[in-house]
Amino acid sequence: MGLTHFDEHGKAVMVDVTEKQDTVREATAMGKVTVSRAVYDAVEQGKIGKGDVLGVATTAGIMGAKRTAELIPMCHILPITNCRVRFEMIPEELAICCWCTVKVTGKTGVEMEALTGVSTALLTVYDMCKALDKTMEIGEICLCRKTGGKSGLVENPGKRMPMEMK
């Protein structure tokens, strides 16, 4: 299968999904931010001056998923039916892992929405904690799993998901 976002002349185009059938589609993406001991402890203890870091980042992740079509030029505007953001503190890595699961009934998938949601959530953690440490690293952002559409179930081997998000 070739790249779908280019026409026969190599020009960027939005994929025409008019003839596709609506199906239930779901995607989960993950990523993590590695932080200093001071940031890790402050987030865990709820002592960041700007407020509840993970609560605000959850809201930001949902907002990011909902606004994906405004950020990624060829994405379709999707009527998202559900979005969940989940965090897990990983003490042995001084990291905060984030998962974003997005669901829609539509003609095209929600992978980009899940990836944008997790990225926005992690960027929000950085923003809220940068007064303590500007050397935090955001990484390992990837698609964990998607369902629905022509390709059906696709899972990224080795990418763990919390039980409540499966």
Side-chain angles (χ1 to χ4, degrees):
M1 176 156 123
L3 296 175
T4 57
H5 286 81
F6 297 96
D7 67 13
E8 62 277 2
H9 306 291
K11 303 274 187 202
V13 296
M14 178 182 265
V15 175
D16 184 354
V17 297
T18 306
E19 301 303 320
K20 290 176 121 183
Q21 296 299 310
D22 283 352
T23 62
V24 176
R25 299 158 183 268
E26 184 175 275
T28 299
M30 70 167 291
K32 73 166 82 167
V33 57
T34 305
V35 301
S36 67
R37 170 56 67 189
V39 169
Y40 187 90
D41 291 344
V43 170
E44 190 172 52
Q45 296 164 15
K47 293 186 178 178
I48 296 289
K50 289 186 176 184
D52 175 12
V53 173
L54 301 184
V56 173
T58 296
T59 300
I62 293 167
M63 291 174 67
K66 290 167 53 174
R67 300 190 77 157
T68 299
E70 295 175 34
L71 301 169
I72 312 296
M74 300 304 167
C75 283
H76 294 82
I77 298 170
L78 299 179
I80 292 172
T81 57
N82 194 18
C83 182
R84 295 175 315 214
V85 176
R86 161 94 159 64
F87 290 94
E88 181 179 313
M89 304 290 287
I90 307 171
E92 62 274 8
E93 297 179 31
L94 291 178
I96 303 167
C97 194
C98 178
W99 291 267
C100 179
T101 298
V102 183
K103 194 171 186 179
V104 69
T105 299
K107 298 173 182 289
T108 190
V110 290
E111 296 97 310
M112 294 308 300
E113 286 71 13
L115 289 160
T116 302
V118 81
S119 299
T120 304
L122 292 170
L123 286 166
T124 300
V125 171
Y126 184 98
D127 178 55
M128 293 186 73
C129 299
K130 69 182 182 250
L132 288 176
D133 178 17
K134 291 178 179 45
T135 66
M136 293 175 280
E137 293 184 16
I138 296 171
E140 300 183 40
I141 296 171
C142 64
L143 181 69
C144 297
R145 181 177 194 267
K146 72 152 286 287
T147 63
K150 187 169 56 175
S151 57
L153 174 65
V154 175
E155 292 185 299
N156 192 340
K159 297 301 175 188
R160 180 180 66 80
M161 288 181 30
M163 287 305 295
E164 69 271 13
M165 295 193 96
K166 287 185 178 182

